Amino acid sequence: MIFPVPDGISTPALVVDLDVVDDNIGRLASAAADGGFAVRPHAKTHKTPRLADLQRRAGAVGLTVATIGEAEAFAAAGFDDLFIAYPVWADSAKAERLRRLADRARVAVGVDSIPAARRLGAANAPVEVMIEVDSGHHRSGVAPDAAAEVALAAAGAGLRVRGVFTFPGHAYHPDARSQAARDEETALAIAARTIGAAGLTITVLSGGSTPSLAYSRPGTATELRPGVYVFNDAQQLALGSCTADQIALAAATTVVSAPAPDRFVLDAGSKILGADRPGWTPGFGYLPEFPDATVTSLSEHHAVVTVAPGGPVPSIGSTTLIVPNHVCAAVNLVDHLVVTRGGVVAGHWPVTARGANL
């Protein structure tokens, strides 16, 4: 059982247990120190400067973000070391924004192609670059043995190449977490070797996802960039990368209907939870009080829960928690998070970078 629904809360709302957040942040900080890794957490998970400040106080060297807009939001909040872990195409508007952003913070930008590197150089923004390589997720990222070509193009365009990064996203599959961590090591090592052979010196080899964290080994990566670990979610629980008592965020919901003995309906639909459902998860969220029940469908404002024969059905008007499958998507749907300590509401923290998708 995770934290309780706070008294007097109006539902639906995303509730955060700061005691669990502190534990999650501290556990990663300790593991990173033991392994010799720097931590640059991905702030797209929480989009909240006050949570980023907790990570910074625990030793984070900076923040990872997904967009220029997120970087702008965190720079405005006083964060001055930002990595946009995305293959940004610097059109004229983005180039101008990068120039303004670089006046307020040290900024690195992801690139994974020669055209993008040259375009970024032509933007005349004083930013550094990180070369993205594909370690098996097969999304963006150049092949590791071709990383030097992109790095040389970036250097030739007048950009400082800080290092290499990858996202082992194929760890988001049952039984793949360990292999994804090994694939990450291999990809970073190959890329570093080829870039070194080309005569360039780099200082950062960056990786790490929440599912693969437990399998990260010292020796190759110098920096880890997990995001979801700060809260965890139903996906991480299903993957085995967290336990139920390490979940720090859930939607507080009210039972608004119980139309059948095996079914009840909550007031938290896709507009509070997001609609992600990987094929290996049992439903659209996890119900700590009803672990054998399944969230079988979501509408915009309804979560339909199916109960096993003879299972408990809550009374209409009662409250319960539902843990989103993908916490990053859920957080992006709300203006603020209800934060608690010791089960008592301690404040409402703005999700400052909500909707900063450009």
Side-chain angles (χ1 to χ4, degrees), residues 73-286:
F74 282 102
F79 292 85
D80 60 3
D81 194 330
L82 303 166
F83 168 39
I84 304 170
Y86 193 85
V88 172
W89 181 257
D91 61 28
S92 57
K94 287 185 172 66
E96 175 58 29
R97 290 168 66 196
L98 284 171
R99 287 191 288 270
R100 292 198 302 267
L101 180 63
D103 288 337
R104 295 186 289 172
R106 180 189 183 206
V107 179
V109 178
V111 294
D112 74 347
S113 69
I114 292 173
R118 290 173 175 166
R119 181 86 178 196
L120 190 60
N124 197 30
V127 299
E128 299 172 80
V129 297
M130 293 280 288
I131 309 302
E132 182 177 13
V133 298
D134 181 9
S135 57
H137 186 40
H138 304 320
R139 191 175 63 181
S140 52
V142 69
D145 58 3
E149 300 170 20
V150 180
L152 287 169
L159 298 164
R160 180 179 180 272
V161 181
R162 181 189 298 180
V164 178
F165 78 104
T166 190
F167 173 57
H170 52 310
Y172 277 85
H173 194 279
D175 304 318
R177 295 162 59 206
S178 175
Q179 184 59 53
R182 302 291 77 75
D183 292 344
E184 173 187 271
E185 287 178 357
T186 300
L188 291 174
I190 292 171
R193 187 165 58 249
T194 60
I195 290 174
L200 297 178
T201 300
I202 58 176
T203 58
V204 177
L205 301 180
S206 182
S209 66
T210 296
S212 61
L213 272 181
Y215 299 93
S216 296
R217 301 185 303 196
T220 302
T222 64
E223 177 182 274
L224 301 176
R225 308 185 322 277
V228 176
Y229 83 98
V230 70
F231 293 141
N232 291 310
D233 56 21
Q235 287 187 116
Q236 302 304 326
L237 186 64
L239 287 167
S241 46
C242 75
T243 58
D245 62 359
Q246 292 168 347
I247 293 173
L249 180 147
T253 71
T254 298
V255 180
V256 294
S257 177
D262 65 345
R263 188 171 78 251
F264 61 94
V265 181
L266 302 170
D267 64 350
S270 62
K271 286 188 173 179
I272 193 77
L273 298 170
D276 285 13
R277 183 185 178 182
W280 39 266
T281 56
F284 287 94
Y286 167 66

Side-chain angles (χ1 to χ4, degrees), residues 45-61:
T45 294
H46 56 68
K47 297 176 178 285
T48 304
R50 293 186 70 172
L51 285 161
D53 189 55
L54 295 178
Q55 294 171 315
R56 178 168 59 182
R57 292 181 185 206
V61 297

Side-chain angles (χ1 to χ4, degrees), residues 274-307:
D276 285 13
R277 183 185 178 182
W280 39 266
T281 56
F284 287 94
Y286 167 66
L287 294 159
E289 286 189 285
F290 306 95
D292 295 327
T294 303
V295 184
T296 49
S297 68
L298 290 183
S299 302
E300 291 177 77
H301 301 285
H302 304 70
V304 178
V305 182
T306 300
V307 179

